[in-house]
Amino acid sequence: MTSRTAVPILLSIPVLLTVTAGCLAAITFAEQNEILLQQLESEHRLTPSQMEQIRAIFARAQFLGQGNPDAAEHPMTPDECRTRVEAAGGHHENAVFERICGGPFMTPLYDPASQTVEEATSCIDQFEFPDIRCTYPVVWVRAREAAELCHAMGKRLCDAHEWEGACAGALEEPDYRFDLAAGQTPSDAVKRMRDAHNRSHGASKSWSYGPDYRKGICAAASSKTPGCEGGGWNACGSNTYPTGAFPDCRSRLGVYDLHGNAAEHMSLPLDEAQMASRGSRDYGVTEMKGSWFIFDSYRAHEDWCRWRAPYWHGSRVMDPQSHHNYHLGFRCCKSIERTDPAPR
């Protein structure tokens, strides 16, 4: 199966062509990744050293990118996304946010009830990685690769409570019940901690767009590839939407696509020494946040903002074989006023 997406191809000379798969030549996976890497360098103003690190991470990975272009059936093109967003008033760039966060396309994390935006101590990407408006999210990424890519960008992988705060519209103090994890296996620790957390927050559940679950708000009306059962590269297209294509799928803090499109890797610390938000060079275990592109027709699990998932395909974040699949991506966080340490 070939993608129907219109794909911009950047050449070595300043010319931009648009190739529509099925009309001219289908884009290859390598070409798709090269376009992505050039976009990353340009949009995020990355240095040669940063790009060297990022290219090395992609080169080591078998499937890391925006999915298999021979299997994907994207329901919307980047051009259609831009037209849709402009009609809704656009994604407004915020000079204050860029100054606070030290780069584009990030949102400060804070509690509006007790803090001002200037008091934020961390930021989160507004869009799923590559954190570029109207671009397909990166999937088939292992948690370790996500952490390494965030570091190369001058950021880090988010702790679970940061993602939850971005979604719910208020960053709360961490409420990890490390006492319940002491002496437990990772699987048992996650179950004990998540059960306590979900009981605590279940009565006040909310979604990024409001207090009630709604269809048609987020990038969740796509479908699985026919015959996609086990999640294989050739059988399952990453049938995602461009990031930010649904302007109402936005939290009060200004973060997009926290439901639908791609689920997201985060780090769940099992003790305080694993909290990246507190300056740890280590990470905890993997946790999947959000939901993905079929949820309007098949709601596979809960996806309210502060919900914590089971230990699905669980491992340490930095396990070289941490899980990856066709609908799993990530976004980065960044601590303010310190350099985030390299993952170990």
Side-chain angles (χ1 to χ4, degrees):
M1 185 184 302
T2 58
S3 171
R4 300 175 183 146
T5 303
V7 183
I9 295 190
L10 300 177
L11 306 179
S12 58
I13 56 176
V15 176
L16 180 65
L17 297 181
T18 298
V19 175
T20 303
C23 295
L24 295 178
I27 191 170
T28 68
F29 179 56
E31 290 169 339
Q32 180 175 270
N33 270 0
E34 181 57 33
I35 293 166
L36 169 64
L37 291 166
Q38 290 185 34
Q39 288 175 319
L40 270 170
E41 182 175 19
S42 174
E43 294 288 338
H44 290 283
R45 305 188 289 272
L46 300 179
T47 66
S49 175
Q50 288 177 300
M51 286 307 303
E52 182 179 5
Q53 294 177 63
I54 290 169
R55 285 182 175 277
I57 296 165
F58 273 79
R60 290 194 299 268
Q62 185 177 10
F63 298 137
L64 175 60
Q66 292 161 307
N68 182 352
D70 291 330
E73 291 282 356
H74 296 293
M76 185 185 298
T77 68
D79 282 345
E80 289 169 339
C81 173
R82 284 185 279 272
T83 298
R84 177 187 177 95
V85 168
E86 288 168 7
H91 296 136
H92 299 292
E93 295 185 11
N94 191 311
V96 173
F97 286 7
E98 183 163 347
R99 174 180 57 79
I100 291 171
C101 298
F105 314 127
M106 298 200 81
T107 295
L109 292 175
Y110 66 107
D111 183 354
S114 60
Q115 295 175 299
T116 68
V117 66
E118 299 285 351
E119 294 177 285
T121 58
S122 63
C123 295
I124 191 169
D125 288 346
Q126 284 187 295
F127 307 99
E128 294 160 321
F129 192 86
D131 193 30
I132 300 170
R133 293 170 288 192
C134 290
T135 301
Y136 297 121
V138 165
V139 290
W140 285 105
V141 57
R142 298 188 188 278
R144 182 188 182 100
E145 294 162 351
E148 291 172 341
L149 285 167
C150 288
H151 178 69
M153 299 281 292
K155 306 175 186 180
R156 57 174 171 77
L157 202 60
C158 304
D159 283 341
H161 78 281
E162 295 177 299
W163 190 100
E164 294 160 6
C167 182
L171 180 66
E172 297 180 349
E173 285 296 312
D175 67 342
Y176 305 111
R177 289 289 306 275
F178 296 137
D179 59 305
L180 298 177
Q184 304 294 316
T185 65
S187 178
D188 288 342
V190 169
K191 184 180 188 310
R192 287 161 63 93
M193 290 174 65
R194 74 175 291 268
D195 286 350
H197 174 89
N198 290 345
R199 282 196 303 269
S200 176
H201 292 279
S204 59
K205 64 178 64 173
S206 66
W207 287 260
S208 63
Y209 46 79
D212 300 306
Y213 179 80
R214 297 167 61 192
K215 293 183 179 181
I217 300 296
C218 296
S222 189
S223 59
K224 291 177 68 173
T225 304
C228 170
E229 298 296 338
W233 171 255
N234 291 316
C236 298
S238 298
N239 302 332
T240 52
Y241 293 81
T243 56
F246 291 78
D248 290 336
C249 190
R250 175 181 179 272
S251 76
R252 287 178 294 163
L253 294 184
V255 186
Y256 294 84
D257 299 324
L258 293 155
H259 314 285
N261 223 21
E264 301 179 25
H265 283 297
M266 294 295 137
S267 174
L268 180 67
L270 300 185
D271 62 57
E272 190 169 1
Q274 295 174 358
M275 292 180 66
S277 57
R278 297 278 175 89
S280 173
R281 293 184 59 205
D282 206 354
Y283 283 107
V285 298
T286 56
E287 189 192 4
M288 187 211 75
K289 288 294 191 187
S291 51
W292 48 294
F293 54 76
I294 66 166
F295 257 54
D296 277 1
S297 59
Y298 179 67
R299 195 176 176 192
H301 53 75
E302 297 281 359
D303 72 338
W304 44 277
C305 286
R306 298 196 192 274
W307 183 72
R308 290 192 182 156
Y311 194 50
W312 289 322
H313 307 287
S315 71
R316 288 298 296 268
V317 166
M318 298 309 293
D319 186 329
Q321 297 303 311
S322 51
H323 184 62
H324 63 168
N325 69 38
Y326 67 101
H327 59 79
L328 181 56
F330 71 105
R331 72 180 76 212
C332 303
C333 283
K334 181 179 183 181
S335 301
I336 299 174
E337 296 185 344
R338 69 165 176 262
T339 300
D340 287 312
R344 291 192 292 197

